[in-house]
Structure formats: structure tokens, C-alpha cells
């Protein structure tokens, strides 16, 4: 099973600051997904990246897939308290291509 | 609202007991996945069913079993419960058999074993 490592594990910032979180693997992934999980809820898909070097934007969130398709990053511009949550990257892994999740980055944006 | 329904939302039981968690997938989705989320292990894949058949098995203990019924709802059975089984159990669904598309997660069932 391919492993996904996320960093940092915890991040606490002030409203208005910018931040980047990372998702790294020693293996190549055909695609990576980013999910956000809020307390008391299940993860919700934010984006899927499939092409090496691909950049996708979702309002203030910018997602990038590494050229070698082994890593991905999520950059948030001018963070807001509503961005608070657990950010998870995930990719297909194993013989049945089941979705394997990273350990997540717990982001807290303080007002 | 993801369209995936899980019951119960909370469950407290004792060691050695058996519980059943229930999941109704989104309308039209044929795949159901079960995940376990704990503080130290993160979100761990347990098992996937597609149209009633087991498709993939992850880190699921022998004490745990699952099935998907003809109406596509699924149940996860946890037996001989141990303290370490306390966790959030998520069900997710998707249209197809492979995991290249979006998974839609329910709100989870929080299991506490005392």
C-alpha cells in the first residue's frame, strides 16, 4: 500500500494569513484528491488532480500536483475562520485501487 | 448533506459486546466503503462492496464483518469489542467500482467501548 504523509500535522494561524500544507509520497499516484473534514461530519471532496504539474484553483484555495505525481500541495490565501478543518489528501492504492488517506493537517484559523 | 445516511450516530457499549452499524448509500451509488477513523491511526480503509459483492478488503479485523444487501444498504458488524475499537466509523458511497471518482461520506457513527 502506498503511503501518504501530510505536513504539518497541526497549523494554527490568524485570519488573513496565507498557508501551505503538503502531501508527500515515495510512490507515484495516478491521481490525488483533497478532502476537508469539519467536526462532526464526514470528509468532503475539494478537488481531484490527475496530471503532473497540474494547478487547480477553488476560490482562495490553490492545489498543485507535483511533476512526478508523488506529491501535492494546498495553498490557502487570506485564510478565514471558515477554512478551519482537517485537510486530507487521498490517492488510489493497492490491488483494488482503494482510496488511501494521509494522516491529515488540522488547520485552525483564529479570528 | 452528502446523501449517505448512517445510523446510529452515537453508540456506547461494553467490551465483549457486538454492534451493527448501518449505512444507506446515495441514490444510484453501487459502491459502499467502510472506513475507521481514530486519533492515532487516521482514516483507515476497512472494506468495499460493489453491487452486493465484496470488492476490496483493507485493514479489517477478523472480528469485524460487513455485507451489502440487494437494496444496496450495508451493515458493518463489530463483535467481541475491545477498548481499542472505539472510533468513528464512516461509510462512503460512489457510483462505480473503482476509486477514481468522488467518495461521498456519511456523518459517521461514533462508537465508544467502555
Amino acid at each position: 500500500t502506498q503511503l501518504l504523509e501530510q505536513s504539518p500535522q497541526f497549523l494554527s494561524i490568524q485570519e488573513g494569513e496565507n498557508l501551505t500544507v503538503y502531501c508527500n509520497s515515495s510512490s507515484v499516484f495516478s491521481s490525488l484528491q483533497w478532502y476537508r473534514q469539519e467536526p462532526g461530519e464526514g470528509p468532503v471532496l475539494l478537488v481531484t488532480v490527475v496530471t503532473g504539474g497540474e494547478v487547480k484553483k477553488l476560490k482562495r484555495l490553490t492545489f498543485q500536483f507535483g511533476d512526478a505525481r508523488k506529491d501535492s500541495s494546498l495553498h490557502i490565501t487570506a485564510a478565514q475562520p471558515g477554512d478551519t478543518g482537517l485537510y486530507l489528501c487521498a490517492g488510489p492504492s493497492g490491488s483494488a485501487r482503494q482510496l488511501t488517506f494521509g494522516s491529515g493537517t488540522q488547520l485552525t484559523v483564529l479570528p | 448533506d452528502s446523501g449517505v445516511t448512517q445510523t446510529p450516530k452515537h453508540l456506547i457499549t461494553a467490551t465483549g459486546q457486538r454492534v451493527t452499524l448501518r449505512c444507506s448509500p446515495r441514490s444510484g451509488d453501487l459502491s459502499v466503503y467502510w472506513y475507521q477513523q481514530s486519533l492515532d491511526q487516521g482514516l483507515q480503509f476497512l472494506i468495499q462492496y460493489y453491487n452486493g459483492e465484496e470488492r476490496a478488503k483493507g485493514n479489517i479485523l477478523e472480528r469485524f464483518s460487513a455485507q451489502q444487501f440487494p437494496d444496496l444498504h450495508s451493515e458493518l458488524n463489530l463483535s467481541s469489542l475491545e477498548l481499542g475499537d472505539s472510533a468513528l466509523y464512516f461509510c462512503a458511497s460512489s457510483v462505480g467500482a473503482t476509486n477514481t471518482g468522488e467518495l461521498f461520506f456519511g456523518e459517521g457513527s461514533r462508537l465508544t467501548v467502555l
Side-chain angles (χ1 to χ4, degrees), chain A residues 9 30-31 33 35 37 40-46 48 86 88 91-93 96-103, chain B residues 33 35 37 39 42-45 48 55-58 88 90 97-108:
Chain A
Q9 188 177 357
S30 57
S31 64
Q33 297 180 336
Y35 287 77
Q37 183 180 9
E41 299 181 8
V44 176
L45 180 68
L46 296 174
T48 301
L86 178 66
L88 296 158
S93 176
R97 313 294 288 157
Q98 61 266 24
L99 202 60
T100 299
F101 284 81
S103 53
Chain B
Y33 310 79
Y35 282 83
Q37 187 175 43
L39 286 176
L43 200 58
Q44 296 287 314
F45 170 72
Q48 177 198 357
R55 173 162 175 81
K57 186 177 280 192
L88 266 171
F90 285 102
T98 60
N99 300 292
T100 55
E102 179 175 1
L103 292 192
F104 295 87
F105 283 83
E107 294 185 343

Side-chain angles (χ1 to χ4, degrees), chain B:
Chain B
D1 182 5
S2 67
V4 178
T5 304
Q6 288 188 247
T7 57
K9 285 190 171 13
H10 301 276
L11 192 54
I12 301 174
T13 188
T15 55
Q17 295 298 304
R18 172 190 172 94
V19 298
T20 297
L21 309 180
R22 194 178 191 279
C23 170
S24 293
R26 281 191 331 153
S27 176
D29 285 357
L30 299 179
S31 273
V32 168
Y33 310 79
W34 286 98
Y35 282 83
Q36 179 192 59
Q37 187 175 43
S38 58
L39 286 176
D40 57 342
Q41 293 291 324
L43 200 58
Q44 296 287 314
F45 170 72
L46 296 179
I47 198 164
Q48 177 198 357
Y49 280 82
Y50 175 75
N51 204 22
E53 299 291 326
E54 181 184 306
R55 173 162 175 81
K57 186 177 280 192
N59 301 320
I60 187 166
L61 300 172
E62 286 191 9
R63 300 183 286 109
F64 297 179
S65 65
Q67 54 185 327
Q68 186 179 28
F69 296 87
D71 67 352
L72 300 178
H73 91 271
S74 178
E75 293 181 354
L76 178 66
N77 300 295
L78 314 175
S79 62
S80 303
L81 285 168
E82 302 175 0
L83 295 177
D85 297 329
S86 295
L88 266 171
Y89 291 84
F90 285 102
C91 169
S93 71
S94 69
V95 173
T98 60
N99 300 292
T100 55
E102 179 175 1
L103 292 192
F104 295 87
F105 283 83
E107 294 185 343
S109 293
R110 181 175 293 278
L111 173 66
T112 302
V113 182
L114 301 175

Side-chain angles (χ1 to χ4, degrees), chain A residues 17-66:
Chain A
E17 293 183 353
N18 301 332
L19 66 111
T20 302
V21 298
Y22 302 92
C23 173
N24 295 293
S25 175
S26 58
S27 304
V28 175
F29 280 85
S30 57
S31 64
L32 278 179
Q33 297 180 336
W34 284 91
Y35 287 77
R36 179 170 65 207
Q37 183 180 9
E38 298 184 21
E41 299 181 8
V44 176
L45 180 68
L46 296 174
V47 78
T48 301
V49 287
V50 296
T51 305
E54 180 177 6
V55 176
K56 280 191 173 179
K57 293 194 174 185
L58 185 66
K59 296 183 181 178
R60 294 175 293 100
L61 279 59
T62 301
F63 303 85
Q64 185 162 7
F65 200 12

